Structure formats: structure tokens, C-alpha cells
């Protein structure tokens, strides 16, 4: 809840620092004193439109800082802040700050970290609810009615959301499988031709490289075949180089022992013979590898060209043909087994749809029962608020199947009828300003602690009423504040003001051409005097003070 508010250079407020506590706080003051300025400043801090007219005349910049209790872990607010990487120290307050320049530029901060105005508005919606005579937020927005009813019913909507996700997930898988099968079926004739063609070709991994190398070797062999033949002739016959070396080695072997140099010469001949033998072996291997065979070369080239032509046809590399063959064969097989696969997926969709319908229907029944209890609770609050002829109804309406979602199968909206026999209609459309505020109060009291922000502001909820109705409004505001909420009420009613546990008086003063709005926290004596002023008008009488005393004694 709101713990402190600091305002600088907003309209008539030069500098203002206020502390707030739990319970009902009331703001009073003469008409025109500037009560709306205080709410405008808080609204700016919570993400309202940045209007440069709010900047105090003669100032270059205005600033509003609001301090709130640390968000409770696990709440939507804590999740929202964490999701936007807003750092929170355990136990430290949440600081919301907005600066506004005279030229209209503004900046927003959460715990001194810059943020967008949109995020500030979203965070502000979790922190404060503001209800005024022309307010179009909070309880007037049908978008939030379902969540409020679910909170009142203490309904766990997580199971419905999970069932909806499972259902939609199964539908997505089925749609993807049908699309793939339809595409494959359209291409069946082409697939059959391609698979047969690839299987007939039977490409092997690395075959293109092997064929290319063999072809190049045979082409080179054709060119050097004559040279190789001449070279190999030097290794053949009794008069070949190697034969002559062997003969010389045999003769030298008989006399090698006669001198050390002869032994060294013999060792050299032996090495030469070994090298010559190795050279002959390599030459003959090369000759065989590069052997020019026109038929073999033609067969190699034919195979190589077939592989490359097939690769060009399918826009892949030759070495990818083997993988492509398997992929196309799998698509063809999927057509054959596609019906059985679709049947399983269709069964999964039917099963998850049934589970969702069952879970969502149970939630719908719970909502319907809770709606009846809420209607009765609100009805009990209307008579004391002088809305005797009015009726309240929580509409729980089944949505068409195409609009079912993670929140269930219902549309929820709060409706009222202000006169006997009049049809029910949305809150904002048929209630006058004063009626609307009282309807909102009745609903908030009925909802009590269920949902909503911890800080609620009612702006002149008592306009146009007095006496018993004003007392009833004050009692309900105090009761709502006692249900763990913090309420701030801008009021002209002494009966409402007397119910507050904190009292702020707003006053306007002028010094020459300078006008300022100030806010003061009243003590008991000050409260008594202010309520007496509200009762008597311009001149505070002894009778008004006595009546103020009686009102304060009834707290």
C-alpha cells in the first residue's frame, strides 16, 4: 500500500511530502482548494498521460515520487517486476517516480530504474485503484470482472489454463501433420518417380570424389603411358640396370673382405639395389592405377556424369544424394502410414478437448454459484446507500466455442438496473455519478479482500448525499479499509470524514500574485475543527463543534 508521496512543482503545489498509513484516510478542504491536484499528481506517478499543464508556472520540471510497501513474493505484481528486470531488495519499498518537463517530455522510473510509461501504468494498476464519478477504470472495465469474480469464488483457474494449452497444443500437432500429409499426397507421383530414380542410381557417400580421382588418373595415364613403358623397360632383362647392379654386387661380395673400402662399396650397392626395387614397385603400381582403358574410362565418366546430373536436378551436392534418397523415401512412407498417425492425433485432440470442456464447465458452475452469492451480498449493501430500487446482477454468459480460452468458457460482466422494471445494463452506461460511486462502493465492500489493489481511492463518492446515506458510506468505507485495504477518500461529507483514522486537509493560500496549495495532517483537535467547519460552513459555531464531537465519538 501507499506509504509516502512527494510532490514538487505540480500546478499550485510547490513542495509537498506526505506519509500515509493503513486504514481509511480522508482528504477534505474547501471547494477549489486543490484536492484534485493531489489525485492528478498521484495519477501522473502511476502512468497517467503526461500533460505539461501540470507543471507549476515558472518551473522547468515537475516530479512526483510515490513509495509503496514491498511487493509480496509470488504475486502478479512481483512477477511483473521480475519479468521486466526491476530489481527489488527484500523488505525495501517500491519507489515509483515520474518527472515531467514544461515542454511535455516525461520520464518514468521504478526503483530508480528507467522504464516505459506503459510499464508504469501496468504496475500502477496493481498498486492503486482510483474510483471517481467519471472513472472508466477499475470496476467499470468488463475486462476485469471475470478475474474479480474468480477471486471472490476462490477459483483456481490454473487447471483450465493448463487444459486449454494441452488442447491447443494437440490441435497444432494435428494441423501440422495434416499439412505435411496433404503436401506429400500432392507430391506422391513425383516422390515415387524420384525415389525409384535415386534407388536405381544407388549413389554412395564419397562416390563422386572417388570417380573424379579415378577419371583424372586415367586421363593422365593416357598421356604418359609411353613414358612409363620406356622407363619400365630399363628394369627388365639381363642387361637392365638392376640386373647389372646385382651381378656387380655378387662379384664384389667375393672380395669385400680384402679391404674396408670394398665392404663399404658393397653396402652402397645393396642400398642401390633396394631403392631400385622399390622404385620399380612404385612404377608398376602407378602404371596399373593409371592404366588407360577406354572402356573403363567411359564407364567411370558415365557414372560420374549421372551422379552430377541427378545432383543438379535436386539442387544438392552429389554427396548429399544418399541422404536425399532416404528423406524422400521417408516422405513416401509417411503417406502410406499417414492415416494411422492422423487417427492418433485426432484422438489426442478429442481427449484434450473433452478434458478442457470438463474442467472449464466445472469452473463455469463455480462462477455461476459465486455470482449468486455476490449478487446477494451487493444487494445487502444497496438499501443503506439509498439505492433501494436498484438491482445488481453478475452476468455469467457462455461464450461461443471459438472464443473459449485459457480463462474458461464464460464472459462475466457486472450489470445494474436503477429503477423497477428497467432492464439491466453495464454499470457505466446507466448510473449517474453519485449512483455509480455508491454502486462501486457496494461492490467493493461485497468483494472485501478478494482481488484488487491494496490502495483504493474514492473521489467524492458522497457527492449529492447527506445524512444517513453519508453515514452509511462512511461506515462501509471504514469496513472496507478494515479488511486489509488502504482507502483514501476525497470527501465533502462530515459523516464520512469522521470515520477516517487519518485526516488530511487541503488548503489554498495566496501571497501577492503567488498561489499555493498545501496539505496538512490534522490531530484530534484539528479534525474536530475541520469537521465542524464542514458542518457549519463559513463560520464555525459551538453547535457545529459539539456535533463534530458527537460524530467523532461514533468511530
Amino acid at each position: 500500500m501507499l506509504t509516502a508521496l512527494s510532490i514538487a512543482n505540480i500546478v499550485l503545489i510547490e513542495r509537498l511530502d506526505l506519509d500515509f498509513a493503513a486504514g481509511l484516510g480522508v482528504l477534505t478542504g474547501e471547494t477549489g482548494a486543490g484536492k484534485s491536484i493531489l489525485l492528478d499528481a498521484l495519477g501522473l506517478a502511476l502512468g497517467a498521460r503526461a500533460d505539461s499543464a501540470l507543471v507549476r508556472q515558472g518551473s522547468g520540471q515537475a516530479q512526483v515520487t510515490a513509495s509503496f510497501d514491498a511487493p509480496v513474493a509470488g504475486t502478479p505484481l512481483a512477477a511483473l517486476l521480475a519479468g521486466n528486470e526491476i530489481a527489488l531488495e527484500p523488505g525495501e519499498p517500491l519507489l515509483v517516480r515520474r518527472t515531467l518537463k514544461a515542454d511535455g517530455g516525461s520520464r518514468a522510473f521504478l526503483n530508480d530504474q528507467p522504464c516505459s510509461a506503459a510499464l508504469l501504468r501496468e504496475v500502477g494498476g496493481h498498486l492503486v485503484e482510483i474510483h471517481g464519478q467519471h472513472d472508466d477504470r477499475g470496476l467499470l472495465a468488463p475486462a476485469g470482472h471475470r478475474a474479480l469474480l474468480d477471486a471472490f469464488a476462490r477459483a483456481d483457474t490454473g487447471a483450465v489454463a493448463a487444459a486449454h494449452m494441452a488442447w491447443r497444443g494437440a490441435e497444432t500437432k494435428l494441423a501440422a501433420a495434416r499439412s505435411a500429409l496433404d503436401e506429400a499426397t500432392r507430391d506422391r507421383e513425383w516422390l515415387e518417380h524420384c525415389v525409384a530414380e535415386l534407388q536405381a542410381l544407388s549413389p554412395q557417400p564419397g562416390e563422386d570424389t572417388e570417380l573424379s580421382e579415378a577419371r583424372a588418373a586415367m586421363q593422365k595415364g593416357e598421356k604418359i603411358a609411353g613414358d612409363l613403358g620406356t622407363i619400365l623397360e630399363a628394369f627388365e632383362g639381363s642387361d637392365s640396370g638392376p640386373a647389372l647392379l646385382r651381378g656387380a654386387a655378387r662379384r664384389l661380395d667375393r672380395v669385400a673382405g680384402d679391404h674396408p673400402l670394398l665392404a663399404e662399396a658393397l653396402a652402397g650397392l645393396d642400398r642401390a639395389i633396394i631403392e631400385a626395387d622399390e622404385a620399380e614397385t612404385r612404377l608398376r603400381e602407378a602404371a596399373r592405377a593409371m592404366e588407360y582403358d577406354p572402356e573403363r574410362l567411359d564407364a567411370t565418366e558415365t557414372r560420374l556424369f549421372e551422379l552430377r546430373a541427378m545432383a543438379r536436378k535436386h539442387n544438392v551436392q552429389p554427396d548429399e544424394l544418399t541422404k536425399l534418397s532416404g528423406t524422400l523415401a521417408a516422405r513416401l512412407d509417411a503417406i502410406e502410414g499417414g492415416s494411422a498417425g492422423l487417427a492418433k492425433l485426432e484422438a489426442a485432440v478429442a481427449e484434450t478437448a473433452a478434458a478442457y470442456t470438463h474442467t472449464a464447465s466445472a469452473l463455469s458452475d463455480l462462477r455461476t454459484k459465486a455470482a449468486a452469492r455476490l449478487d446477494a451480498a451487493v444487494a445487502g449493501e444497496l438499501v443503506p446507500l439509498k439505492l433501494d430500487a436498484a438491482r445488481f446482477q453478475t452476468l455469467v454468459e457462455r461464450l461461443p466455442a471459438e472464443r473459449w480460452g485459457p480463462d474458461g468458457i464464460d464472459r462475466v460482466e457486472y450489470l445494474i438496473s436503477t429503477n423497477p422494471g428497467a432492464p439491466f445494463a453495464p454499470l457505466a452506461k446507466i448510473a449517474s455519478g453519485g449512483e455509480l460511486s455508491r454502486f462501486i462502493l457496494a461492490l467493493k465492500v461485497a468483494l472485501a479482500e478478494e482481488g484488487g489493489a491494496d490502495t483504493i481511492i474514492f473521489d467524492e463518492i458522497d457527492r449529492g448525499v447527506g445524512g444517513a446515506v453519508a453515514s452509511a458510506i462512511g461506515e462501509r468505507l471504514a469496513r472496507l479499509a478494515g479488511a486489509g485495504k488502504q482507502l483514501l477518500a476525497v470527501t465533502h461529507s462530515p459523516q464520512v470524514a469522521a470515520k477516517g483514522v487519518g485526516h488530511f486537509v487541503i488548503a489554498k493560500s495566496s501571497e501577492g500574485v503567488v498561489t499555493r496549495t498545501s496539505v496538512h495532517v490534522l490531530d484530534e483537535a484539528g479534525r474536530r475543527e475541520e469537521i465542524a467547519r464542514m458542518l457549519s460552513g463559513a463560520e464555525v459555531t459551538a453547535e457545529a463543534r459539539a456535533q463534530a464531537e458527537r460524530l467523532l465519538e461514533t468511530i
Side-chain angles (χ1 to χ4, degrees), residues 205-494:
E207 186 178 7
D208 178 78
T209 301
E210 293 176 2
L211 290 172
S212 296
E213 292 175 350
R215 175 175 177 253
M218 283 188 285
Q219 288 174 334
K220 291 177 182 178
E222 181 182 8
K223 294 178 181 179
I224 65 174
D227 293 335
L228 281 175
T230 301
I231 294 169
L232 285 170
E233 287 177 359
F235 288 86
E236 298 172 352
S238 58
D239 59 347
S240 66
L244 294 175
L245 286 173
R246 290 186 186 94
R250 285 193 298 271
R251 284 187 175 88
L252 184 57
D253 184 52
R254 290 195 291 269
V255 296
D258 295 339
H259 195 281
L261 291 176
L262 294 176
E264 291 179 8
L266 178 60
L269 280 175
D270 288 340
R271 287 195 299 273
I273 291 168
I274 292 171
E275 292 292 336
D277 287 343
E278 289 183 355
E280 182 182 5
T281 300
R282 297 291 183 270
L283 285 167
R284 294 192 183 280
E285 288 176 351
R288 284 193 298 272
M290 302 176 70
E291 181 181 7
Y292 174 63
D293 180 350
E295 291 185 1
R296 184 178 166 217
L297 177 59
D298 183 62
T300 300
E301 289 182 334
T302 300
R303 176 68 176 175
L304 183 62
F305 296 156
E306 286 176 347
L307 284 172
R308 291 180 175 177
M310 188 67 73
R312 285 194 301 272
K313 179 179 179 178
H314 292 283
N315 195 28
V316 296
Q317 295 300 316
D319 283 344
E320 296 175 351
L321 287 173
T322 304
K323 181 179 178 181
L324 176 65
S325 178
T327 301
L328 296 181
R331 287 178 59 186
L332 193 58
D333 290 342
I335 298 175
E336 304 300 330
S339 298
L342 284 182
K344 290 182 181 179
L345 291 173
E346 288 170 349
V349 169
E351 182 180 348
T352 53
Y356 170 80
T357 303
H358 175 76
T359 307
S361 295
L363 176 60
S364 181
D365 292 342
L366 184 63
R367 284 170 173 162
T368 300
K369 293 175 182 177
R373 297 199 311 274
L374 180 59
D375 292 350
V378 173
E381 301 292 335
L382 296 179
V383 174
L385 295 174
K386 296 301 180 185
L387 293 170
D388 315 52
R391 293 175 297 152
F392 176 85
Q393 180 186 69
T394 304
L395 174 67
V396 180
E397 182 180 57
R398 181 70 61 93
L399 292 167
E402 63 270 16
R403 292 180 59 192
W404 292 359
D407 294 317
I409 58 179
D410 307 305
R411 182 180 77 87
V412 176
E413 186 173 5
Y414 299 141
L415 306 175
I416 59 170
S417 168
T418 54
N419 296 299
F424 284 95
L427 283 170
K429 289 189 176 179
I430 65 172
S432 65
E435 288 176 328
L436 182 57
S437 294
R438 283 179 279 160
F439 266 114
I440 289 174
L441 176 60
L443 183 55
K444 288 301 297 185
V445 171
L447 290 169
E449 297 178 334
E450 313 299 344
D454 287 338
T455 298
I456 305 171
I457 297 175
F458 286 99
D459 185 12
E460 299 189 4
I461 191 174
D462 51 3
R463 179 182 288 272
V465 300
V469 176
S471 295
I473 291 174
E475 289 170 1
R476 276 147 184 79
L477 288 174
R479 197 167 92 204
L480 181 56
K485 300 285 186 182
Q486 178 189 52
L487 265 70
L488 295 175
V490 177
T491 179
H492 290 282
S493 167

Side-chain angles (χ1 to χ4, degrees), residues 1-5 20-23 66-73 75 77-78 81 88-96 111 123 126-128 454-455 484-486:
M1 57 185 64
L2 179 66
T3 58
L5 183 65
F20 297 90
S67 176
F68 293 86
D69 287 334
V72 178
T75 60
L77 175 57
L81 293 170
L88 290 173
E89 294 295 331
E92 290 296 315
L94 173 62
L95 295 179
V96 179
N111 273 14
V123 170
H126 288 279
L127 294 170
V128 178
D454 287 338
T455 298
K485 300 285 186 182
Q486 178 189 52

Side-chain angles (χ1 to χ4, degrees), residues 32 61 74 145 150 160 180 182 194 309-310 380 404 441 485 490 532 552:
Q61 176 177 287
H145 291 179
D150 287 343
V160 172
D182 289 345
C194 291
M310 188 67 73
W404 292 359
L441 176 60
K485 300 285 186 182
V490 177
L552 289 169

Side-chain angles (χ1 to χ4, degrees), residues 522-536:
L522 299 180
D523 57 15
E524 287 301 315
R527 291 189 67 195
R528 189 177 302 106
E529 193 68 12
E530 171 64 8
I531 293 173
R533 181 199 64 77
M534 297 171 72
L535 286 166
S536 63

